[in-house]
Each structure stands twice: as structure tokens, then as C-alpha cells.
Amino acid sequence: SRVFQSATPNFPIFLLIGLVLWQWLSLSIGSSAQAFMGNSAMLKNSVFPRELLPIALVLSLTLNFLMEALLLVFFIPIFPAAFRLSPALLLLPVFGICFVALLVGAALVVSVLNVLYRDVAYIVTTGLLLLYWLTPVIYPTSVVPEPYQTALKCNPLCGLFNGVRNAIMLGEGPTLLGWAGIVVPTALTLVIGVVVFRRYERVVLDYV
């Protein structure tokens, strides 16, 4: 609160939620780029659905995220005003499912494309850096002026980050438009991931 001079109430909790979510996202997508290249021996010597590799990677990092998210419990006595016990907390598993679906879709794309085009891993690293600043990780969307704020809300991560924070800190759920901004891009990302993966998975063994 003092370093950033943020006017956001309970900024340390606001920041912690954003960083934990971003850690989950960046590790999942970044690691997925090497899902096949790092397991080439397994691919050549075993027969199994290849999409299981990036999906399993995302799910394993989801368990890590859940353990990191437990940190919030220890901050309840320190920042009691930052938390709201309300029915909105029941939406957290829904946000989690949407987040997993979004990550799986992205993981399927980057994992298979990095086998064909080895520069994809570097592009992903640069893309995550840009995405970090286009996602409200360390700042609230309210500080972004229009029309950039509306453009920022087109990012499905914006809806997910805000949804999780509002459910925990304000006891509020997204509006109908907010849900549309989360569910539609998430479903589209998952469909694109499956389509791209199905198209290129046959040549994976030829390139690993």
C-alpha cells in the first residue's frame, strides 16, 4: 500500500490474489510449451492419448495453486476487513473450472505448436510478459481510463481476476454481462485448443 501508493482498499490482499492467480497461469502456459519436447522418450515408447500430457501438467499446477491459495487463510486475522463471508464464495469453484478450461485450451495450442515451430516457446515467454500488463494483476481496472478500460474487459482473464477478487473481498458475483465475458472467450479458447491439437497431433512423433 505504501510503495505503490494505491488507493485500493486492502491492497495487500488484492495484490496477493492477483499474483497467486498469475503464477498459476504463467507456469501452466509456460511449462506446456515444453510438454512434448521434455517427454519425447515417453511419447516414442508408450501409446496413450497425447493430449493427456499438457492437460496433466495444467492439473498438477492447479494443485500447486490450491496450496498457494491457502496463504489467504493466514491473512484473515491480519486483514479481516478484506474478506467477506457470503454466498458469493460458492462461485469460486466455478471460476476455477473456467480458469482450468482456459488454461487447457491455451496449453493444447502451445504444446503442439512448439513441436512444429521451436520458436513458439520464446513467443510464449514474450506474450506472457505483455499479457501480464494487459491483465489486472497488480492494478484494478477502475484506474484504466476509457476507452481502454472497455478494451481491457474483453480479456477473459480480466473477468476471472475481478470475479475471484469480488467474491472474496466484496461478496459480489459478476453481472450477466460479466459472466458472458468470462464464459464465451473461455469456451472459444478451449474449442480452438482442441481443434488445433487434433489437426497437428499426428505429426508430433515426427518432430520430437
Side-chain angles (χ1 to χ4, degrees), residues 17-36:
I17 294 173
L19 292 177
V20 170
L21 288 172
W22 179 258
Q23 178 85 346
W24 181 19
L25 179 143
S26 61
L27 286 178
S28 296
I29 297 179
S31 301
S32 296
Q34 301 296 335
F36 292 127

Side-chain angles (χ1 to χ4, degrees), residues 30-165:
S31 301
S32 296
Q34 301 296 335
F36 292 127
M37 300 306 300
N39 295 280
S40 58
M42 183 187 303
L43 287 171
K44 294 176 180 178
N45 299 319
S46 304
V47 178
F48 61 93
R50 297 183 182 94
E51 60 269 23
L52 289 182
L53 276 179
I55 293 175
L57 184 58
V58 170
L59 294 180
S60 67
L61 290 170
T62 299
L63 294 177
N64 291 345
F65 159 74
L66 292 175
M67 290 187 287
E68 292 176 357
L70 289 176
L71 284 171
L72 290 171
V73 176
F74 295 101
F75 282 91
I76 293 177
I78 304 174
F79 298 96
F83 300 89
R84 293 288 184 275
L85 183 61
S86 72
L89 294 176
L90 298 176
L91 295 174
L92 293 179
V94 180
F95 292 130
I97 291 171
C98 291
F99 220 109
V100 169
L102 187 69
L103 293 179
V104 166
L108 289 173
V109 172
V110 300
S111 63
V112 74
L113 290 185
N114 189 56
V115 175
L116 303 175
Y117 312 103
R118 302 300 171 86
D119 291 337
V120 168
Y122 302 103
I123 296 174
V124 167
T125 301
T126 303
L128 285 173
L129 179 61
L130 296 175
L131 186 61
Y132 178 84
W133 296 108
L134 295 176
T135 303
V137 178
I138 64 173
Y139 61 86
T141 53
S142 58
V143 303
V144 180
E146 292 289 0
Y148 306 107
Q149 185 177 137
T150 300
L152 182 67
K153 290 179 179 178
C154 294
N155 176 0
L157 293 175
C158 179
L160 285 169
F161 275 62
N162 289 340
V164 172
R165 281 171 169 150

Side-chain angles (χ1 to χ4, degrees), residues 152-199:
L152 182 67
K153 290 179 179 178
C154 294
N155 176 0
L157 293 175
C158 179
L160 285 169
F161 275 62
N162 289 340
V164 172
R165 281 171 169 150
N166 290 342
I168 294 174
M169 302 182 68
L170 303 178
E172 299 175 356
T175 62
L176 187 60
L177 183 60
W179 277 117
I182 294 172
V183 174
V184 173
T186 297
L188 185 61
T189 301
L190 183 58
V191 170
I192 291 174
V194 171
V195 171
V196 171
F197 191 88
R198 292 299 185 191
R199 180 174 181 179

